[in-house]
């Protein structure tokens, strides 16, 4: 089965600082997804990466997938309190659905 | 807006008393999933429906059952909830095509007394 490890487990930053969250897979990924979850709520889709070396950005968040398709990073530039939450990477090993998730990274942004 | 709706938002049940959680979707997606997320843990897939085909994960306890009477609705039945079943239950949907993202509902937080 696909196993995903995220680091760090938690992160506390001052508003305005940049930060990076990593996600490492034990196997080659077919698709890598980043979701954000606010405490006690559902998951909100951020980005999906499929190709080795792919990079996507949305507002101040950039996600990258390495060439070997086993590691992804999520970078937030000039963090804001609204970025606070739990960031989860999820991966598929085949062509559809059945996401397996990492354990999540808890991000706290102090004003 | 098209979305995935879970009811209720919070559910309290008694130890051993059957409980049903519901999920509906307006996305007309073929695939519906149920995930269990315990505190500070990753969501764990329990089972999913691909149209009417039910797919159970190997380690999902028999205590958990599911029904999908039509495309729009899916139910999670917990026959005899134990204290260890207290968790957030997340419903998600996706289309038939490969590499389609999952759309999640807001979840149902289940407490077992």
């Amino acid at each position: 089965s696909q196993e995903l490890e995220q680091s760090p487990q938690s992160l506390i930053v001052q508003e305005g600082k940049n930060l990076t969250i990593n996600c490492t897979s034990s196997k080659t990924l077919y698709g890598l997804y980043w979701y954000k979850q606010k405490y006690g709520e559902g998951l909100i889709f951020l980005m999906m990466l499929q190709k080795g070396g792919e990079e996507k950005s949305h507002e101040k968040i950039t996600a990258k997938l390495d060439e070997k398709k086993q590691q992804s990073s999520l970078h937030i530039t000039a963090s804001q309190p609204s970025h606070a939450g739990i960031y989860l990477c999820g991966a598929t090993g085949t062509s559809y659905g059945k996401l397996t998730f990492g354990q999540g990274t808890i991000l706290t942004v102090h004003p | 807006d098209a979305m995935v709706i879970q009811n209720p938002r919070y559910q309290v049940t008694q130890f051993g008393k059957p409980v049903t959680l519901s999920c509906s979707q307006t996305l007309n997606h073929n695939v519906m999933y149920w995930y269990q997320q315990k505190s500070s843990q990753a969501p764990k897939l329990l089972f999913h429906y691909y149209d009417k085909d039910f797919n159970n994960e190997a380690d999902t306890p028999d205590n958990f059952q599911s029904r999908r009477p039509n495309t729009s609705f899916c139910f999670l039945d917990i026959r005899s909830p134990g204290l260890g079943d207290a968790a957030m239950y997340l419903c998600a949907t996706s289309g038939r095509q490969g590499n389609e993202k999952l759309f999640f509902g807001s979840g149902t937080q289940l407490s077992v007394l």
Side-chain angles (χ1 to χ4, degrees), chain B residues 6-20:
Chain B
Q6 289 188 244
N7 286 304
R9 185 76 179 82
Y10 300 94
Q11 176 75 55
V12 180
T13 190
Q14 290 180 335
F15 183 94
K17 185 175 180 182
V19 65
T20 295

Side-chain angles (χ1 to χ4, degrees), chain A residues 35 37 40 50 95 97 99 102, chain B residues 9 33 35 37 42 88 98-99 102:
Chain A
Y35 282 84
Q37 184 180 30
Q50 191 187 359
S95 60
L99 282 185
Chain B
R9 185 76 179 82
Y33 309 80
Y35 282 85
Q37 185 180 27
M88 171 74 86
N99 277 335
L102 271 62

Side-chain angles (χ1 to χ4, degrees), chain A residues 36 45-47 56-63 75-78 80 82-83 87:
Chain A
K36 179 184 176 184
F45 173 79
L46 295 175
M47 272 172 275
K56 288 186 177 178
S57 292
H58 177 68
E59 296 181 343
K60 295 185 178 181
I61 300 177
T62 300
H75 184 77
I76 299 177
T77 303
Q80 300 169 352
S82 61
H83 288 127
Y87 288 82

Side-chain angles (χ1 to χ4, degrees), chain B residues 29-101:
Chain B
H29 279 166
N30 300 97
V31 194
M32 294 187 78
Y33 309 80
W34 279 104
Y35 282 85
Q36 179 195 60
Q37 185 180 27
K38 295 189 177 180
S39 182
S40 302
Q41 294 185 20
K44 179 180 177 297
L45 183 64
L46 294 173
F47 26 60
H48 74 280
Y49 275 93
Y50 194 103
D51 291 326
K52 293 184 179 181
D53 293 332
F54 178 71
N55 298 271
N56 201 27
E57 293 301 300
D59 55 355
T60 298
D62 292 339
N63 198 26
F64 291 87
Q65 303 287 321
S66 186
R67 296 170 283 134
R68 190 179 184 184
N70 53 52
T71 300
S72 300
F73 286 87
C74 195
F75 300 97
L76 170 62
D77 300 309
I78 308 177
R79 293 193 295 188
S80 181
L83 298 179
D85 297 327
M88 171 74 86
Y89 289 88
L90 296 162
C91 173
T93 71
S94 70
R96 186 190 298 274
Q97 302 300 320
N99 277 335
E100 290 203 19
K101 66 185 182 186

Side-chain angles (χ1 to χ4, degrees), chain A residues 39-58:
Chain A
Y39 181 75
E41 298 183 11
L43 277 64
I44 298 169
F45 173 79
L46 295 175
M47 272 172 275
M48 185 198 82
L49 304 165
Q50 191 187 359
K51 299 176 183 176
E54 188 173 9
E55 179 175 321
K56 288 186 177 178
S57 292
H58 177 68

